[in-house]
Amino acid sequence: MNDDASVRSATGDRRAELAAGLASVEGRIARACEAAGRPRDAVTLVVVTKTYPASDVRLLWELGVRHVAENRDQDAAPKAAQCTDLPLTWHFVGQLQTNKARSVAGYADFVHSVDRLRLVRSLANAAAPRDRELGCLIQVGLDAESDDAGPRGGAAPDRVAELADAVAEARGLRLDGVMTVAPLAGPYAGKPGEAFARLREISTCLRTAHPAATMVSAGMSADLEEAISAGATHVRVGSAVLGVRPRLR
Ligand SMILES: *Cc1c(COP(=O)(O)O)cnc(C)c1O
């Protein structure tokens, strides 16, 4: 085999792996929607490509993926730059330092991890001069103590309204909904279904003041069924599509 052929064959193997992962996740989403009596198009699959290369993003695009997510700006910024020819929607889902807001606003269409006023201000400063709005989701830390951020990011539930109002008032930002990660500790540990039901209540409450904030981002590889059953509109799935991340092996 010459080098070109071996490169082509490695790419073909990876494409087949990704196609199989996607088909399996698509099947799970379709079955969960059916079980919940929800139409399949009520749920958007966001593929979390963190730790995987831009070449995988490109293959996923060819396989029909349109929404991708990253959780670290250092990895996401160069990856997005290598894929500017693809009209993908980029979601930022990781804990975000204010000094990275400018960079993230440069490529992200949505930030799911808005969890404090300082970050709202930084994102607004970064987004205001741009010609499109940055979609923002308030990340709820269901394991966060009042007035504090949770260990995996997220604002305590009693802070959501204030943050939502701040986003809604900020030029350059658009309030789109809420997000959570199923907690590993606290009363919801090991109970993703209950956590996602609580997020759904928070979303319902938020929509009385902000009816357009309809996105509910919940559910990952391990718990997407529970999230869809609880009304998630966006599931964020990484390892079930791309494989177990190298650093976790
Ligand atoms: C990594 C990550 C995911 C995807 O997790 P998997 O278990 O690989 O599906 C979803 N959401 C956030 C915030 C993440 O950091």
Side-chain angles (χ1 to χ4, degrees), residues 12-88:
D13 291 349
R14 185 58 177 151
R15 175 197 286 270
E17 272 175 17
L18 293 176
L22 263 182
S24 149
V25 167
E26 270 300 333
R28 288 175 60 191
I29 293 173
R31 282 191 298 276
C33 284
E34 195 176 339
R38 305 179 62 200
R40 168 63 189 88
D41 65 5
V43 177
T44 299
L45 169 62
V46 181
V47 178
V48 183
T49 50
K50 65 188 185 196
T51 76
Y52 287 100
S55 55
D56 278 357
V57 176
R58 206 161 274 285
L59 287 170
L60 287 165
W61 161 266
E62 291 172 16
L63 292 165
V65 170
R66 295 297 176 262
H67 293 262
V68 294
E70 289 283 329
N71 75 332
R72 282 162 48 98
D73 177 61
Q74 303 92 295
D75 303 332
K79 220 182 282 186
Q82 287 175 62
C83 298
T84 47
D85 57 317
L86 307 176
L88 284 161

Side-chain angles (χ1 to χ4, degrees), residues 62-233:
E62 291 172 16
L63 292 165
V65 170
R66 295 297 176 262
H67 293 262
V68 294
E70 289 283 329
N71 75 332
R72 282 162 48 98
D73 177 61
Q74 303 92 295
D75 303 332
K79 220 182 282 186
Q82 287 175 62
C83 298
T84 47
D85 57 317
L86 307 176
L88 284 161
T89 299
W90 289 81
H91 299 251
F92 190 86
V93 300
Q95 281 177 259
L96 180 52
Q97 294 167 270
T98 49
N99 63 359
K100 300 282 166 43
R102 189 161 303 281
S103 172
V104 169
Y107 56 84
D109 300 287
F110 295 93
V111 174
H112 292 223
S113 43
V114 177
D115 62 359
R116 56 201 192 282
L117 285 171
R118 246 166 64 81
L119 181 57
V120 174
R121 279 194 290 276
S122 303
L123 286 170
N125 286 338
R130 306 184 64 85
D131 56 7
R132 66 191 162 106
E133 286 184 317
L134 180 60
C136 291
L137 284 71
I138 309 301
Q139 181 177 351
V140 184
L142 291 169
D143 48 358
E145 300 296 332
S146 196
D147 284 355
D148 211 1
R152 304 169 85 189
D158 62 0
R159 305 296 307 277
V160 170
E162 176 192 12
L163 285 166
D165 290 347
V167 169
E169 282 160 20
R171 201 160 70 84
L173 306 184
R174 185 185 62 243
L175 179 68
D176 281 332
V178 289
M179 176 272 220
T180 204
V181 177
L184 296 175
Y188 293 102
K191 298 177 186 159
E194 288 179 27
F196 299 147
R198 178 78 182 103
L199 182 70
R200 178 63 195 218
E201 284 174 12
I202 292 167
S203 163
T204 301
C205 178
L206 176 70
R207 279 179 286 126
T208 61
H210 302 282
T214 55
M215 288 173 67
V216 180
S217 168
M220 322 202 303
S221 293
D223 50 25
L224 68 90
E225 284 85 359
E226 286 90 341
I228 290 172
S229 154
T233 62

